[in-house]
Short mmCIF file of all heavy atoms in Angstrom, two decimals:
data_model
loop_
_atom_site.label_atom_id
_atom_site.label_comp_id
_atom_site.label_asym_id
_atom_site.label_seq_id
_atom_site.Cartn_x
_atom_site.Cartn_y
_atom_site.Cartn_z
N MET A 986 -30.66 91.27 196.54
CA MET A 986 -29.46 90.78 197.26
C MET A 986 -28.38 91.88 197.15
O MET A 986 -28.12 92.42 196.11
CB MET A 986 -28.98 89.48 196.66
CG MET A 986 -27.74 88.98 197.28
SD MET A 986 -27.03 87.52 196.50
CE MET A 986 -28.13 86.31 197.20
N ARG A 987 -27.74 92.10 198.27
CA ARG A 987 -26.68 93.11 198.30
C ARG A 987 -25.38 92.46 197.87
O ARG A 987 -25.00 91.44 198.38
CB ARG A 987 -26.59 93.62 199.75
CG ARG A 987 -25.53 94.69 199.89
CD ARG A 987 -25.54 95.17 201.32
NE ARG A 987 -24.26 95.89 201.50
CZ ARG A 987 -23.42 95.64 202.45
NH1 ARG A 987 -23.72 94.78 203.41
NH2 ARG A 987 -22.32 96.32 202.54
N MET A 988 -24.69 93.10 196.98
CA MET A 988 -23.40 92.61 196.54
C MET A 988 -22.32 93.57 197.04
O MET A 988 -22.55 94.74 197.23
CB MET A 988 -23.33 92.50 195.01
CG MET A 988 -24.34 91.54 194.42
SD MET A 988 -24.19 89.88 194.97
CE MET A 988 -22.74 89.38 194.09
N GLY A 989 -21.15 93.06 197.25
CA GLY A 989 -20.05 93.90 197.72
C GLY A 989 -19.27 93.18 198.78
O GLY A 989 -19.43 91.99 199.02
N THR A 990 -18.45 93.92 199.48
CA THR A 990 -17.68 93.31 200.53
C THR A 990 -17.78 94.15 201.80
O THR A 990 -18.08 95.35 201.74
CB THR A 990 -16.18 93.21 200.13
OG1 THR A 990 -15.66 94.51 199.88
CG2 THR A 990 -16.03 92.35 198.89
N ASP A 991 -17.54 93.53 202.90
CA ASP A 991 -17.46 94.16 204.19
C ASP A 991 -16.19 93.71 204.87
O ASP A 991 -15.54 92.71 204.44
CB ASP A 991 -18.65 93.76 205.07
CG ASP A 991 -19.97 94.34 204.55
OD1 ASP A 991 -20.02 95.55 204.30
OD2 ASP A 991 -20.93 93.56 204.41
N VAL A 992 -15.85 94.37 205.93
CA VAL A 992 -14.66 94.02 206.69
C VAL A 992 -15.08 93.20 207.89
O VAL A 992 -16.06 93.55 208.58
CB VAL A 992 -13.90 95.29 207.12
CG1 VAL A 992 -12.74 94.91 208.05
CG2 VAL A 992 -13.41 96.07 205.94
N PHE A 993 -14.33 92.15 208.17
CA PHE A 993 -14.56 91.32 209.35
C PHE A 993 -13.22 91.14 210.02
O PHE A 993 -12.29 90.60 209.42
CB PHE A 993 -15.16 89.97 208.89
CG PHE A 993 -15.33 88.97 210.01
CD1 PHE A 993 -16.34 89.14 210.94
CD2 PHE A 993 -14.50 87.89 210.15
CE1 PHE A 993 -16.51 88.24 211.96
CE2 PHE A 993 -14.66 87.00 211.13
CZ PHE A 993 -15.68 87.14 212.06
N SER A 994 -13.09 91.58 211.25
CA SER A 994 -11.83 91.48 211.97
C SER A 994 -11.92 90.30 212.94
O SER A 994 -12.95 90.12 213.61
CB SER A 994 -11.57 92.79 212.72
OG SER A 994 -10.40 92.71 213.47
N LEU A 995 -10.84 89.56 213.05
CA LEU A 995 -10.85 88.37 213.88
C LEU A 995 -9.54 88.31 214.65
O LEU A 995 -8.46 88.46 214.12
CB LEU A 995 -10.99 87.13 212.97
CG LEU A 995 -10.97 85.76 213.65
CD1 LEU A 995 -12.21 85.60 214.50
CD2 LEU A 995 -10.97 84.73 212.57
N ARG A 996 -9.66 88.09 215.96
CA ARG A 996 -8.47 87.96 216.81
C ARG A 996 -8.30 86.45 217.09
O ARG A 996 -9.19 85.82 217.62
CB ARG A 996 -8.67 88.70 218.10
CG ARG A 996 -7.46 88.72 219.00
CD ARG A 996 -7.71 89.49 220.28
NE ARG A 996 -8.17 90.82 220.00
CZ ARG A 996 -7.43 91.92 220.11
NH1 ARG A 996 -6.17 91.85 220.46
NH2 ARG A 996 -7.96 93.11 219.86
N ILE A 997 -7.16 85.91 216.69
CA ILE A 997 -6.87 84.51 216.94
C ILE A 997 -5.46 84.36 217.54
O ILE A 997 -4.62 85.22 217.39
CB ILE A 997 -6.98 83.64 215.67
CG1 ILE A 997 -6.02 84.16 214.60
CG2 ILE A 997 -8.38 83.62 215.15
CD1 ILE A 997 -6.03 83.30 213.33
N ASP A 998 -5.23 83.22 218.17
CA ASP A 998 -3.92 83.04 218.77
C ASP A 998 -2.88 82.71 217.73
O ASP A 998 -3.16 82.31 216.61
CB ASP A 998 -4.00 82.07 219.97
CG ASP A 998 -3.73 80.60 219.64
OD1 ASP A 998 -3.65 80.21 218.50
OD2 ASP A 998 -3.58 79.88 220.63
N HIS A 999 -1.64 82.89 218.11
CA HIS A 999 -0.49 82.81 217.16
C HIS A 999 -0.41 81.38 216.59
O HIS A 999 -0.16 81.21 215.36
CB HIS A 999 0.80 83.12 217.92
CG HIS A 999 2.02 82.98 217.05
ND1 HIS A 999 2.35 83.89 216.09
CD2 HIS A 999 2.96 82.01 216.99
CE1 HIS A 999 3.44 83.50 215.47
NE2 HIS A 999 3.85 82.38 216.02
N ASP A 1000 -0.58 80.34 217.38
CA ASP A 1000 -0.49 78.98 216.89
C ASP A 1000 -1.52 78.66 215.80
O ASP A 1000 -1.23 78.08 214.78
CB ASP A 1000 -0.57 77.96 218.01
CG ASP A 1000 0.59 78.04 218.98
OD1 ASP A 1000 1.68 78.52 218.57
OD2 ASP A 1000 0.43 77.58 220.12
N LEU A 1001 -2.74 79.13 216.03
CA LEU A 1001 -3.79 78.93 215.02
C LEU A 1001 -3.47 79.66 213.77
O LEU A 1001 -3.65 79.14 212.67
CB LEU A 1001 -5.16 79.34 215.60
CG LEU A 1001 -6.31 79.26 214.62
CD1 LEU A 1001 -6.47 77.87 214.04
CD2 LEU A 1001 -7.58 79.71 215.29
N LEU A 1002 -2.99 80.89 213.86
CA LEU A 1002 -2.64 81.66 212.69
C LEU A 1002 -1.54 80.97 211.89
O LEU A 1002 -1.60 80.88 210.65
CB LEU A 1002 -2.19 83.07 213.07
CG LEU A 1002 -1.78 83.97 211.89
CD1 LEU A 1002 -2.91 84.11 210.88
CD2 LEU A 1002 -1.36 85.34 212.40
N GLU A 1003 -0.55 80.42 212.56
CA GLU A 1003 0.51 79.68 211.87
C GLU A 1003 -0.03 78.48 211.15
O GLU A 1003 0.38 78.17 210.01
CB GLU A 1003 1.61 79.30 212.86
CG GLU A 1003 2.46 80.48 213.34
CD GLU A 1003 3.04 81.27 212.17
OE1 GLU A 1003 3.64 80.67 211.27
OE2 GLU A 1003 2.84 82.50 212.16
N ARG A 1004 -0.93 77.76 211.78
CA ARG A 1004 -1.57 76.58 211.09
C ARG A 1004 -2.36 77.03 209.88
O ARG A 1004 -2.30 76.37 208.83
CB ARG A 1004 -2.44 75.82 212.06
CG ARG A 1004 -1.62 75.07 213.11
CD ARG A 1004 -2.37 73.91 213.80
NE ARG A 1004 -3.77 74.20 214.14
CZ ARG A 1004 -4.19 74.62 215.35
NH1 ARG A 1004 -3.31 74.85 216.30
NH2 ARG A 1004 -5.44 74.80 215.58
N LEU A 1005 -3.07 78.12 210.02
CA LEU A 1005 -3.85 78.65 208.87
C LEU A 1005 -2.89 79.04 207.74
O LEU A 1005 -3.20 78.77 206.57
CB LEU A 1005 -4.69 79.84 209.28
CG LEU A 1005 -5.90 79.50 210.18
CD1 LEU A 1005 -6.54 80.79 210.69
CD2 LEU A 1005 -6.94 78.69 209.40
N ARG A 1006 -1.78 79.68 208.08
CA ARG A 1006 -0.81 80.06 207.06
C ARG A 1006 -0.30 78.84 206.35
O ARG A 1006 -0.12 78.88 205.13
CB ARG A 1006 0.35 80.83 207.70
CG ARG A 1006 0.03 82.24 208.06
CD ARG A 1006 1.23 82.99 208.57
NE ARG A 1006 0.90 84.39 208.84
CZ ARG A 1006 1.29 85.04 209.90
NH1 ARG A 1006 2.09 84.47 210.82
NH2 ARG A 1006 0.93 86.29 210.06
N GLU A 1007 -0.01 77.78 207.07
CA GLU A 1007 0.48 76.54 206.44
C GLU A 1007 -0.52 75.95 205.48
O GLU A 1007 -0.20 75.56 204.36
CB GLU A 1007 0.89 75.54 207.53
CG GLU A 1007 2.10 75.91 208.29
CD GLU A 1007 2.40 74.96 209.47
OE1 GLU A 1007 1.83 73.83 209.44
OE2 GLU A 1007 3.16 75.33 210.36
N HIS A 1008 -1.76 75.84 205.95
CA HIS A 1008 -2.83 75.28 205.12
C HIS A 1008 -3.02 76.14 203.86
O HIS A 1008 -3.20 75.61 202.77
CB HIS A 1008 -4.15 75.17 205.91
CG HIS A 1008 -4.14 74.10 206.90
ND1 HIS A 1008 -4.13 72.73 206.62
CD2 HIS A 1008 -4.15 74.16 208.28
CE1 HIS A 1008 -4.14 72.02 207.72
NE2 HIS A 1008 -4.15 72.88 208.75
N ALA A 1009 -3.03 77.45 204.05
CA ALA A 1009 -3.24 78.36 202.94
C ALA A 1009 -2.09 78.24 201.94
O ALA A 1009 -2.29 78.18 200.72
CB ALA A 1009 -3.39 79.79 203.43
N ALA A 1010 -0.86 78.22 202.46
CA ALA A 1010 0.32 78.11 201.57
C ALA A 1010 0.28 76.84 200.75
O ALA A 1010 0.67 76.86 199.55
CB ALA A 1010 1.58 78.20 202.42
N LYS A 1011 -0.12 75.73 201.35
CA LYS A 1011 -0.21 74.46 200.58
C LYS A 1011 -1.14 74.58 199.35
O LYS A 1011 -0.97 73.88 198.39
CB LYS A 1011 -0.71 73.35 201.52
CG LYS A 1011 0.29 72.87 202.52
CD LYS A 1011 -0.30 71.81 203.40
CE LYS A 1011 0.63 71.48 204.52
NZ LYS A 1011 0.06 70.50 205.47
N ARG A 1012 -2.10 75.45 199.47
CA ARG A 1012 -3.07 75.63 198.40
C ARG A 1012 -2.79 76.88 197.57
O ARG A 1012 -3.55 77.23 196.67
CB ARG A 1012 -4.48 75.75 198.99
CG ARG A 1012 -4.91 74.42 199.60
CD ARG A 1012 -6.04 74.60 200.61
NE ARG A 1012 -6.46 73.35 201.18
CZ ARG A 1012 -5.84 72.70 202.18
NH1 ARG A 1012 -4.76 73.19 202.67
NH2 ARG A 1012 -6.28 71.54 202.62
N GLY A 1013 -1.64 77.54 197.86
CA GLY A 1013 -1.29 78.75 197.10
C GLY A 1013 -2.25 79.92 197.33
O GLY A 1013 -2.52 80.68 196.41
N MET A 1014 -2.75 80.01 198.53
CA MET A 1014 -3.80 80.99 198.85
C MET A 1014 -3.31 81.89 199.96
O MET A 1014 -2.42 81.53 200.74
CB MET A 1014 -5.08 80.34 199.34
CG MET A 1014 -5.70 79.36 198.35
SD MET A 1014 -7.04 78.41 199.08
CE MET A 1014 -8.31 79.66 199.03
N SER A 1015 -3.93 83.07 200.06
CA SER A 1015 -3.70 83.90 201.25
C SER A 1015 -4.52 83.34 202.39
O SER A 1015 -5.42 82.57 202.21
CB SER A 1015 -4.13 85.34 200.96
OG SER A 1015 -5.55 85.41 200.87
N VAL A 1016 -4.14 83.72 203.59
CA VAL A 1016 -4.87 83.25 204.81
C VAL A 1016 -6.33 83.73 204.67
O VAL A 1016 -7.28 82.99 204.95
CB VAL A 1016 -4.23 83.77 206.11
CG1 VAL A 1016 -5.14 83.46 207.30
CG2 VAL A 1016 -2.86 83.10 206.29
N GLN A 1017 -6.52 84.98 204.24
CA GLN A 1017 -7.87 85.54 204.13
C GLN A 1017 -8.69 84.69 203.17
O GLN A 1017 -9.84 84.29 203.45
CB GLN A 1017 -7.82 86.96 203.64
CG GLN A 1017 -9.16 87.59 203.46
CD GLN A 1017 -9.08 89.02 202.96
OE1 GLN A 1017 -8.07 89.67 203.11
NE2 GLN A 1017 -10.18 89.50 202.40
N ASP A 1018 -8.14 84.42 202.00
CA ASP A 1018 -8.90 83.61 201.00
C ASP A 1018 -9.18 82.20 201.53
O ASP A 1018 -10.27 81.67 201.33
CB ASP A 1018 -8.13 83.53 199.69
CG ASP A 1018 -8.13 84.84 198.94
OD1 ASP A 1018 -8.97 85.74 199.22
OD2 ASP A 1018 -7.28 85.02 198.04
N TYR A 1019 -8.20 81.61 202.20
CA TYR A 1019 -8.39 80.28 202.76
C TYR A 1019 -9.52 80.25 203.80
O TYR A 1019 -10.38 79.37 203.77
CB TYR A 1019 -7.09 79.78 203.40
CG TYR A 1019 -7.20 78.43 204.05
CD1 TYR A 1019 -7.24 77.25 203.31
CD2 TYR A 1019 -7.34 78.32 205.43
CE1 TYR A 1019 -7.40 76.02 203.89
CE2 TYR A 1019 -7.47 77.08 206.04
CZ TYR A 1019 -7.51 75.96 205.25
OH TYR A 1019 -7.67 74.73 205.88
N VAL A 1020 -9.52 81.22 204.70
CA VAL A 1020 -10.58 81.28 205.74
C VAL A 1020 -11.95 81.50 205.11
O VAL A 1020 -12.92 80.83 205.46
CB VAL A 1020 -10.23 82.36 206.79
CG1 VAL A 1020 -11.42 82.60 207.72
CG2 VAL A 1020 -8.99 81.97 207.56
N VAL A 1021 -12.04 82.42 204.17
CA VAL A 1021 -13.33 82.68 203.50
C VAL A 1021 -13.82 81.44 202.78
O VAL A 1021 -14.97 81.06 202.89
CB VAL A 1021 -13.21 83.90 202.55
CG1 VAL A 1021 -14.45 84.00 201.67
CG2 VAL A 1021 -12.99 85.19 203.32
N ARG A 1022 -12.93 80.81 202.07
CA ARG A 1022 -13.27 79.57 201.33
C ARG A 1022 -13.77 78.49 202.30
O ARG A 1022 -14.77 77.81 202.04
CB ARG A 1022 -12.11 79.08 200.53
CG ARG A 1022 -12.39 77.83 199.73
CD ARG A 1022 -11.17 77.52 198.87
NE ARG A 1022 -11.30 76.17 198.38
CZ ARG A 1022 -10.29 75.49 197.87
NH1 ARG A 1022 -9.10 76.03 197.77
NH2 ARG A 1022 -10.46 74.29 197.45
N THR A 1023 -13.08 78.36 203.43
CA THR A 1023 -13.48 77.35 204.41
C THR A 1023 -14.86 77.69 205.00
O THR A 1023 -15.68 76.77 205.17
CB THR A 1023 -12.43 77.31 205.53
OG1 THR A 1023 -11.14 76.92 204.95
CG2 THR A 1023 -12.79 76.26 206.58
N LEU A 1024 -15.10 78.94 205.30
CA LEU A 1024 -16.42 79.32 205.84
C LEU A 1024 -17.51 79.09 204.80
O LEU A 1024 -18.61 78.61 205.16
CB LEU A 1024 -16.39 80.80 206.26
CG LEU A 1024 -15.55 81.08 207.48
CD1 LEU A 1024 -15.40 82.62 207.67
CD2 LEU A 1024 -16.13 80.44 208.75
N MET A 1025 -17.22 79.40 203.57
CA MET A 1025 -18.24 79.19 202.48
C MET A 1025 -18.55 77.70 202.34
O MET A 1025 -19.67 77.31 202.18
CB MET A 1025 -17.75 79.81 201.20
CG MET A 1025 -17.75 81.31 201.20
SD MET A 1025 -16.95 82.06 199.78
CE MET A 1025 -17.98 81.45 198.44
N ARG A 1026 -17.51 76.88 202.38
CA ARG A 1026 -17.69 75.43 202.24
C ARG A 1026 -18.52 74.91 203.39
O ARG A 1026 -19.41 74.10 203.22
CB ARG A 1026 -16.33 74.74 202.14
CG ARG A 1026 -16.48 73.23 201.88
CD ARG A 1026 -15.15 72.53 201.78
NE ARG A 1026 -14.47 72.60 203.07
CZ ARG A 1026 -13.19 73.01 203.24
NH1 ARG A 1026 -12.49 73.39 202.22
NH2 ARG A 1026 -12.66 73.04 204.45
N ASP A 1027 -18.20 75.34 204.63
CA ASP A 1027 -18.92 74.90 205.80
C ASP A 1027 -20.38 75.31 205.68
O ASP A 1027 -21.29 74.54 206.02
CB ASP A 1027 -18.28 75.45 207.06
CG ASP A 1027 -18.96 74.91 208.31
OD1 ASP A 1027 -18.95 73.68 208.48
OD2 ASP A 1027 -19.46 75.70 209.09
N ASP A 1028 -20.62 76.55 205.24
CA ASP A 1028 -22.00 77.04 205.10
C ASP A 1028 -22.73 76.18 204.07
O ASP A 1028 -23.87 75.78 204.28
CB ASP A 1028 -21.99 78.49 204.66
CG ASP A 1028 -23.39 79.07 204.49
OD1 ASP A 1028 -24.17 79.03 205.44
OD2 ASP A 1028 -23.68 79.51 203.38
N PHE A 1029 -22.07 75.86 202.96
CA PHE A 1029 -22.69 75.00 201.95
C PHE A 1029 -23.02 73.62 202.55
O PHE A 1029 -24.13 73.07 202.31
CB PHE A 1029 -21.80 74.85 200.70
CG PHE A 1029 -22.31 73.80 199.78
CD1 PHE A 1029 -23.36 74.11 198.90
CD2 PHE A 1029 -21.79 72.53 199.81
CE1 PHE A 1029 -23.82 73.16 198.01
CE2 PHE A 1029 -22.29 71.54 198.94
CZ PHE A 1029 -23.33 71.86 198.05
N ASP A 1030 -22.07 73.07 203.26
CA ASP A 1030 -22.27 71.73 203.85
C ASP A 1030 -23.48 71.70 204.76
O ASP A 1030 -24.28 70.78 204.76
CB ASP A 1030 -21.02 71.27 204.63
CG ASP A 1030 -19.85 70.94 203.74
OD1 ASP A 1030 -20.01 70.84 202.48
OD2 ASP A 1030 -18.70 70.82 204.30
N GLN A 1031 -23.61 72.78 205.55
CA GLN A 1031 -24.77 72.86 206.47
C GLN A 1031 -26.07 72.98 205.72
O GLN A 1031 -27.06 72.35 206.04
CB GLN A 1031 -24.61 74.07 207.41
CG GLN A 1031 -23.52 73.83 208.46
CD GLN A 1031 -23.35 75.02 209.38
OE1 GLN A 1031 -24.23 75.87 209.47
NE2 GLN A 1031 -22.22 75.08 210.02
N ARG A 1032 -26.08 73.85 204.66
CA ARG A 1032 -27.30 74.03 203.90
C ARG A 1032 -27.64 72.70 203.12
O ARG A 1032 -28.81 72.34 203.01
CB ARG A 1032 -27.18 75.16 202.89
CG ARG A 1032 -27.23 76.51 203.65
CD ARG A 1032 -27.16 77.70 202.68
NE ARG A 1032 -25.79 77.77 202.14
CZ ARG A 1032 -25.48 77.93 200.87
NH1 ARG A 1032 -26.42 77.96 199.95
NH2 ARG A 1032 -24.26 77.99 200.44
N PHE A 1033 -26.62 72.04 202.61
CA PHE A 1033 -26.83 70.76 201.90
C PHE A 1033 -27.44 69.70 202.87
O PHE A 1033 -28.38 69.01 202.52
CB PHE A 1033 -25.55 70.26 201.29
CG PHE A 1033 -25.74 68.99 200.52
CD1 PHE A 1033 -26.29 68.98 199.26
CD2 PHE A 1033 -25.27 67.79 201.05
CE1 PHE A 1033 -26.45 67.83 198.55
CE2 PHE A 1033 -25.42 66.60 200.37
CZ PHE A 1033 -26.00 66.61 199.10
N GLN A 1034 -26.86 69.61 204.04
CA GLN A 1034 -27.39 68.64 205.02
C GLN A 1034 -28.79 68.93 205.39
O GLN A 1034 -29.63 68.02 205.48
CB GLN A 1034 -26.49 68.65 206.29
CG GLN A 1034 -26.89 67.59 207.32
CD GLN A 1034 -26.85 66.17 206.82
OE1 GLN A 1034 -25.92 65.82 206.07
NE2 GLN A 1034 -27.84 65.39 207.13
N THR A 1035 -29.14 70.21 205.55
CA THR A 1035 -30.52 70.57 205.86
C THR A 1035 -31.47 70.16 204.71
O THR A 1035 -32.55 69.63 204.92
CB THR A 1035 -30.65 72.09 206.10
OG1 THR A 1035 -29.83 72.40 207.25
CG2 THR A 1035 -32.07 72.52 206.37
N ALA A 1036 -31.00 70.37 203.47
CA ALA A 1036 -31.81 70.00 202.30
C ALA A 1036 -32.00 68.48 202.26
O ALA A 1036 -33.09 68.00 201.94
CB ALA A 1036 -31.12 70.49 201.02
N VAL A 1037 -30.96 67.74 202.58
CA VAL A 1037 -31.08 66.25 202.63
C VAL A 1037 -32.08 65.84 203.66
O VAL A 1037 -32.97 65.00 203.40
CB VAL A 1037 -29.69 65.61 202.85
CG1 VAL A 1037 -29.86 64.12 203.18
CG2 VAL A 1037 -28.76 65.78 201.66
N GLU A 1038 -32.00 66.44 204.83
CA GLU A 1038 -32.91 66.07 205.91
C GLU A 1038 -34.37 66.42 205.53
O GLU A 1038 -35.29 65.64 205.79
CB GLU A 1038 -32.51 66.80 207.20
CG GLU A 1038 -31.22 66.25 207.80
CD GLU A 1038 -30.63 67.12 208.90
OE1 GLU A 1038 -31.22 68.19 209.23
OE2 GLU A 1038 -29.59 66.74 209.43
N GLU A 1039 -34.56 67.58 204.93
CA GLU A 1039 -35.91 67.97 204.51
C GLU A 1039 -36.45 67.00 203.45
O GLU A 1039 -37.63 66.67 203.45
CB GLU A 1039 -35.92 69.43 204.01
CG GLU A 1039 -35.72 70.45 205.07
CD GLU A 1039 -36.78 70.41 206.15
OE1 GLU A 1039 -37.98 70.29 205.80
OE2 GLU A 1039 -36.43 70.53 207.35
N THR A 1040 -35.61 66.60 202.52
CA THR A 1040 -36.00 65.69 201.48
C THR A 1040 -36.36 64.32 202.08
O THR A 1040 -37.39 63.71 201.70
CB THR A 1040 -34.89 65.50 200.44
OG1 THR A 1040 -34.59 66.77 199.88
CG2 THR A 1040 -35.26 64.52 199.34
N GLU A 1041 -35.56 63.86 203.03
CA GLU A 1041 -35.88 62.61 203.71
C GLU A 1041 -37.20 62.67 204.48
O GLU A 1041 -37.99 61.73 204.44
CB GLU A 1041 -34.72 62.21 204.65
CG GLU A 1041 -33.45 61.77 203.92
CD GLU A 1041 -32.31 61.54 204.83
OE1 GLU A 1041 -32.30 61.93 206.02
OE2 GLU A 1041 -31.33 60.91 204.35
N LYS A 1042 -37.44 63.81 205.12
CA LYS A 1042 -38.73 63.97 205.81
C LYS A 1042 -39.89 63.91 204.81
O LYS A 1042 -40.90 63.27 205.06
CB LYS A 1042 -38.77 65.31 206.56
CG LYS A 1042 -38.10 65.30 207.90
CD LYS A 1042 -38.50 66.54 208.66
CE LYS A 1042 -37.21 67.28 209.02
NZ LYS A 1042 -37.48 68.56 209.67
N PHE A 1043 -39.72 64.60 203.68
CA PHE A 1043 -40.77 64.64 202.64
C PHE A 1043 -41.10 63.23 202.12
O PHE A 1043 -42.25 62.89 201.96
CB PHE A 1043 -40.33 65.55 201.48
CG PHE A 1043 -41.31 65.66 200.38
CD1 PHE A 1043 -42.42 66.48 200.52
CD2 PHE A 1043 -41.18 64.91 199.22
CE1 PHE A 1043 -43.37 66.58 199.50
CE2 PHE A 1043 -42.09 65.01 198.20
CZ PHE A 1043 -43.20 65.84 198.34
N TYR A 1044 -40.04 62.43 201.89
CA TYR A 1044 -40.27 61.08 201.36
C TYR A 1044 -40.43 60.04 202.44
O TYR A 1044 -40.60 58.85 202.13
CB TYR A 1044 -39.09 60.70 200.44
CG TYR A 1044 -39.16 61.46 199.10
CD1 TYR A 1044 -38.28 62.47 198.82
CD2 TYR A 1044 -40.10 61.08 198.14
CE1 TYR A 1044 -38.34 63.17 197.64
CE2 TYR A 1044 -40.18 61.78 196.94
CZ TYR A 1044 -39.28 62.81 196.67
OH TYR A 1044 -39.35 63.46 195.53
N GLY A 1045 -40.38 60.44 203.70
CA GLY A 1045 -40.59 59.54 204.80
C GLY A 1045 -39.41 58.57 205.06
O GLY A 1045 -39.63 57.49 205.60
N VAL A 1046 -38.21 58.98 204.67
CA VAL A 1046 -37.01 58.16 204.91
C VAL A 1046 -36.51 58.47 206.28
O VAL A 1046 -36.41 59.65 206.66
CB VAL A 1046 -35.95 58.45 203.83
CG1 VAL A 1046 -34.68 57.64 204.10
CG2 VAL A 1046 -36.50 58.16 202.44
N THR A 1047 -36.15 57.48 207.06
CA THR A 1047 -35.60 57.71 208.37
C THR A 1047 -34.24 57.09 208.54
O THR A 1047 -33.85 56.23 207.84
CB THR A 1047 -36.49 57.22 209.52
OG1 THR A 1047 -36.76 55.83 209.25
CG2 THR A 1047 -37.73 58.01 209.60
#
């Protein structure tokens, strides 16, 4: 597994950036940290849901 960081540039509209700043500030975070944390949480949620679905298939739960 490769460890390290890469750069990801994102163009977003002003209103969205302001909302992100507000959400990040409420948590004492930078916008960058807030966005990364949100993406990681969403990725986890998707992987967890897939694991639940696979488990249900295995045990025949519908």
Side-chain angles (χ1 to χ4, degrees):
M986 176 185 283
R987 181 177 164 233
M988 299 299 286
T990 61
D991 291 309
V992 174
F993 176 73
S994 179
L995 179 66
R996 185 181 306 257
I997 59 176
D998 92 350
H999 178 76
D1000 293 337
L1001 176 57
L1002 179 57
E1003 288 306 311
R1004 289 199 319 265
L1005 288 171
R1006 283 184 178 139
E1007 290 174 18
H1008 288 291
K1011 288 178 187 175
R1012 292 160 180 80
M1014 303 171 76
S1015 69
V1016 171
Q1017 178 180 341
D1018 289 342
Y1019 177 77
V1020 170
V1021 168
R1022 181 176 164 194
T1023 301
L1024 290 170
M1025 289 171 62
R1026 184 180 65 232
D1027 185 59
D1028 180 58
F1029 171 80
D1030 290 347
Q1031 288 178 19
R1032 288 182 288 132
F1033 181 76
Q1034 183 61 40
T1035 299
V1037 168
E1038 290 168 359
E1039 290 298 317
T1040 301
E1041 289 174 345
K1042 278 193 238 175
F1043 180 79
Y1044 287 106
V1046 177
T1047 55

